[in-house]
Amino acid sequence: MTKHLKGLDTLRALAATIVVVDHVEIIKQDHHISNLIDHPSLIYPDGHLSVILFFVISGFLITYLLLIEKSNTGKISLKDFYMRRVLRIWPLYYLILFLSYIIFNPDYSLIRTLLPLFIFPNVAYAIQETWDVSPQIWSIGVEEQFYIVWPLLFILISKSKRAFSYIISLILFFTLLPFGLKFINLFFIKNNGFEIFISRFFYGTKFNCMGIGVLLGFLYFKRNEIKFPAVLKNKLVIYFFTLFPFVLWFFKFHTDHLNDELYAVLFAFSIYQIVDHSKINIDNKMTRFLGKISYGIYLYHWIIIIILIKYLPKVDNIYLYNLVLYSSVLLATIFISWFSFVTYERFFLNLKKKYEINKS
């Protein structure tokens, strides 16, 4: 097994918690309950950027583990890689599809059902056929599509001395692609439906943000071979830029263009310092615990919020209502995610050990 990288569980815990808060407010708004979205003077972090943080972490960790595997064994086992991803992602993903369908019994079209079943929920979102009884699954589709393609590209790229150049080129390609497609549509195709598809698809399908995580994985693996500028070793600079993206995030700083990409770059710098810097320690027992069950928190919470908002008694005091609602949502989500992790998911995680790096 590879060495545990510190800080990642805490970052996952933070991201998952913010997603839950954001979705509580979205669902409250949908049910015409007083919420933070309708009061823009009240600032709280954007849940979408939690997913960007997840994407950067995924690109980083997957790439770093592939580099470790290649360094230790001289090759990449595609079979082992895909089995590890399948056994970690699919069991809970398909359980959520099943549970949300059984509980809410939605009247969905064939295409709305088939796309999530074949791990294309982000495409379903883009064509406005969202699996809205658990819409957060769109990001799982993005990650799975990345996991299918990236190890194949990795095998090709990692053999070259120009690996960094190729990765940067891929990041730029996926960054510019939506703008290029919109330009083609504007002057040649002139189809409003295609314009909407591009906007919705690339709003969530951020392969470039995962690519920034990929670049971080290479940089971290080769950190002893790279001479970074002296300014990046200054303690004040390190602490400032480690904290900087989270300050911007919590105060809802936003740019009209390339907002996600900006945050991905800033998150990447933070992740590097948190993982590598001995004096930056954000972990504690609670955050590491929440980080380990963050996948469950991310997938279970929407169902739990819907059920609790439906059945919790309404009270005139909105502060009391929010206290009860948030307490119930967080406790129920954490408990169910923990129980799922130590029972249902653990069965598949034990199977996954057979395909781990450096298995014996």
Side-chain angles (χ1 to χ4, degrees), residues 335-349:
F335 175 78
I336 291 171
S337 300
W338 166 78
F339 187 75
S340 170
F341 184 81
V342 298
T343 55
Y344 175 70
E345 293 170 67
R346 180 156 291 172
F347 173 79
F348 297 99
L349 291 173

Side-chain angles (χ1 to χ4, degrees), residues 5-13 57 60-61 271 274-275 283:
L5 298 178
K6 69 183 182 70
L8 296 187
D9 281 334
T10 297
L11 290 174
R12 291 190 189 101
I57 291 173
F60 163 63
L61 190 57
I271 292 167
I274 289 167
V275 169
D283 285 333

